[in-house]
Amino acid sequence: MSDPGDLAVFWDDAWQRLRRGVVDRRAAARTISFATVSPTGWPEVRTVVLRAADISNAMLEVHSDSETAKVAALKTTPRAALHVWDPKADLQIRASGEVRLLSGPKVAAQWAQVPDVARVSYGTDPAPGTPIESVYSYEKPANPDRFVVLQCHLTEVDLVHLGERHRRARYVRADGWQGIWCAP
């Protein structure tokens, strides 16, 4: 980061790391924590792969099987929190937003980009989380009808840099992502 006191530089650096997570399997932002609230009101968190990071629309995208607990949670409460820890940069990125679930013909282009080896993540039979008789009592057919794109339209981003002097800033959609410094 070139200027530690510049909110715009801090914001751009975080988005650069998120975009890198989309294309670089070794980047810290490749696998992120994704939290939802279950239909019964309990918090749930899991690791997902970041598939798109669009700064102009403040949108992060992940993919899922339509029969997962996270999709059920999002149908009830379409909001999520996302977390990235980048140890090389000493940077924590926390974001929250509203989630749109897209499937069917709307996601044909994304499905076409999913490698064959990864397509088996969408169509597990029985559905993910279902109790089974033994460790391998399931099948993993690729099923495009179970492929769902989760578009997370961010409403708030909180950045914490844990360098020699800690820095923290909060950015919100409502003020055009201008950002404010906060006590770390």
Side-chain angles (χ1 to χ4, degrees), residues 2 9 26 29 32 35 38 46 55 60 62 64 75-76 80 89 92 110 113 135 138 141-142 144 153-154 165-166 180:
S2 56
V9 169
R26 293 166 293 161
I32 62 176
S38 76
R46 75 280 293 154
I55 188 172
L60 300 177
V62 300
S64 182
K75 286 179 179 178
T76 301
Q92 173 182 258
Q110 286 101 323
Q113 297 299 314
V135 66
Y138 65 90
H153 296 274
L154 304 181
R165 293 285 316 261
H166 295 4
I180 59 169

Side-chain angles (χ1 to χ4, degrees), residues 15 61 77 86 139 152 170:
W15 277 96
E61 179 180 294
T77 306
D86 188 331
E139 298 297 323
C152 306
R170 183 178 310 118

Side-chain angles (χ1 to χ4, degrees), residues 15-30:
W15 277 96
Q16 178 182 354
R17 292 175 187 288
L18 290 167
R19 285 190 301 270
R20 183 168 177 213
V22 174
V23 298
D24 182 352
R25 291 175 173 260
R26 293 166 293 161
R30 178 65 170 187

